[in-house]
Amino acid sequence: MATFLARITIKPGCEAAFERLAADLYEATHAREPGVRRYEYWRGAEDRTYYCSAAFDDFLAFLAHQTSAHHEELGPKITQTFESIRLEWVDPVAGASASAPTEMQPLPDGATPLEVAYHERFAADVQDWWRTRR
């Protein structure tokens, strides 16, 4: 599996545009990506703060999401509403989550240049201390 939590701060006045684009991404992701297990957006407690929670069958399914036609179309639009984003790979606590551990995978032969770029940019940062807790 590959699971992340992203904390997003939106530029002032961009909340409505962000929420429309997030809804479009949610709909397209769930309709077109068989490797997605969870892909949701949440409002945070602080003004203009949102979260994205996402889980994929594996890291390659995450790459398929990142390089999908709908993400390539909507991604640049939604990021224009961002003031900042912090994407963090997360790992389940054994016995307190039904999810599988986050694991990084190598690229398959014949990966596209876009897949290679996203593989490097968003590498699943699996922490050493996670392995001692599994």
Side-chain angles (χ1 to χ4, degrees):
M1 259 184 96
T3 305
F4 73 79
L5 181 63
R7 183 180 195 275
I8 307 162
T9 303
I10 301 303
K11 294 175 186 172
C14 291
E15 297 89 348
F18 170 81
E19 290 189 16
R20 280 192 307 275
L21 291 162
D24 291 346
L25 273 168
Y26 171 88
E27 182 180 324
T29 296
H30 285 279
R32 300 178 188 152
E33 295 180 33
V36 68
R37 293 189 183 193
R38 165 178 235 120
Y39 185 77
E40 301 172 327
Y41 287 89
W42 304 83
R43 292 183 191 109
E46 297 176 24
D47 191 37
R48 300 182 295 116
T49 300
Y50 292 83
Y51 293 88
C52 178
S53 173
F56 299 88
D57 286 345
D58 55 27
F59 189 78
L60 297 180
F62 164 74
L63 285 181
H65 166 74
Q66 289 296 115
T67 60
S68 66
H70 56 272
H71 195 277
E72 284 295 292
E73 174 193 346
L74 297 170
K77 294 175 185 177
I78 200 168
T79 57
Q80 289 178 356
T81 69
F82 293 2
E83 185 174 283
S84 65
I85 183 171
R86 180 174 185 256
L87 188 143
E88 183 175 341
W89 292 100
V90 295
D91 208 50
V93 173
S97 174
S99 295
T102 293
E103 298 291 345
M104 183 65 184
Q105 291 172 284
L107 281 170
D109 291 339
T112 68
L114 186 58
E115 289 170 327
V116 171
Y118 279 122
H119 190 270
E120 293 172 4
R121 182 175 176 197
F122 294 110
D125 195 8
V126 177
Q127 304 299 310
D128 290 337
W129 74 272
W130 293 355
R131 289 180 177 87
T132 64
R133 300 282 184 212
R134 290 184 181 167

